Amino acid sequence: MRTLRRLDPLLIQAVIAAALSFAHIHDIAEAAGQTGWKAWAYPVSVDVLLVMAWKRVREAEEGESVAAPRLWFWLSLAASMSANIATAGVVDLENPPTLLRVLVAAWPVLAFFGGSLLVHSRKAPTVADETPQKPAGEPAEEPEEEEVPEPVEEPQKPNLVTYAEAAAVAGVTDTTIRGAANSARLVKHLTPEGPRVDLDEVRKVYSKRPVGV
């Protein structure tokens, strides 16, 4: 409510200024021979071009040239101010000069040209602007966790011993160990030093537990 009260004087001032400027442009157009609805169309054309140019200047993107919008803004502003000054007794509206008639007659084409340039000279949206954006409420996708392979236990190396050593542990003769290795009861390992058997396998086959167990 307080904000509206503060803006009331500004709005009133803007409405009064716009109405006076509108009426002055109408009077100039009518004095230059533009009667009827045409005289009322002139102030609309000037004010619309003024607002269009100012809007383009305000909404210009970073790096975009605003030279053309500024030119049309100052041109329309000059037309409005000139009409205000001319109606203050500077120009005899009963006998308007030829230059004023020429300017008034040329304004529609000039305003149409300026409005067309302001509309069609806007930059096309960049590729980044055209890419669809995800809804704000959509959660971000969590990265997939990489599966870490479980360490594979290396097979235990056999404890290789000679037939005599195996026989001493098992409490049998060398011939028994040799026969067991040859008959596949025990796995025979061929090494550069000669045939060998796994001591742990010998203990298992002959039920001989390791010392201390």
Side-chain angles (χ1 to χ4, degrees), residues 33-58:
Q34 306 295 330
T35 58
W37 67 270
K38 294 182 289 185
W40 291 107
Y42 272 84
V44 174
S45 174
V46 174
D47 292 343
V48 168
L49 183 61
L50 180 69
V51 173
M52 286 177 59
W54 177 245
K55 186 178 180 181
R56 281 295 309 277
V57 173
R58 290 289 302 273

Side-chain angles (χ1 to χ4, degrees), residues 54-211:
W54 177 245
K55 186 178 180 181
R56 281 295 309 277
V57 173
R58 290 289 302 273
E59 296 179 354
E61 298 179 359
E62 184 178 356
E64 182 181 0
S65 175
V66 293
R70 287 185 185 276
L71 174 63
W72 293 109
F73 171 78
W74 289 113
L75 183 62
S76 55
L77 184 63
S80 179
M81 293 183 63
S82 299
N84 296 334
I85 295 173
T87 55
V90 177
V91 178
D92 184 8
L93 298 183
E94 297 294 333
N95 300 296
T98 304
L99 179 60
L100 179 61
R101 294 177 181 272
V102 172
L103 293 176
V104 172
W107 174 258
V109 176
L110 190 64
F112 176 77
F113 179 69
S116 299
L117 289 181
L118 290 175
V119 171
H120 296 290
S121 63
R122 295 193 65 89
K123 292 175 61 178
T126 58
V127 177
D129 297 335
E130 296 178 356
T131 54
Q133 298 181 355
K134 293 183 178 180
E138 185 177 350
E141 297 181 357
E142 297 181 358
E144 297 181 357
E145 297 182 357
E146 297 182 359
E147 296 183 358
V148 180
E150 297 182 357
V152 180
E153 296 182 359
E154 296 182 359
Q156 188 176 1
K157 293 182 180 181
N159 186 10
L160 302 181
V161 294
T162 61
Y163 291 163
E165 293 174 340
V169 173
V172 295
T173 62
D174 300 353
T175 304
T176 303
I177 297 298
R178 183 179 292 104
N182 292 331
S183 64
R185 188 179 181 187
L186 295 175
V187 178
K188 181 168 62 174
H189 299 269
L190 299 177
T191 65
E193 292 79 12
R196 297 286 189 273
V197 291
D198 187 1
L199 183 59
D200 295 332
E201 187 180 5
V202 172
R203 288 175 174 151
K204 182 178 180 182
V205 171
Y206 292 97
S207 301
K208 295 293 183 179
R209 298 183 180 180
V211 179

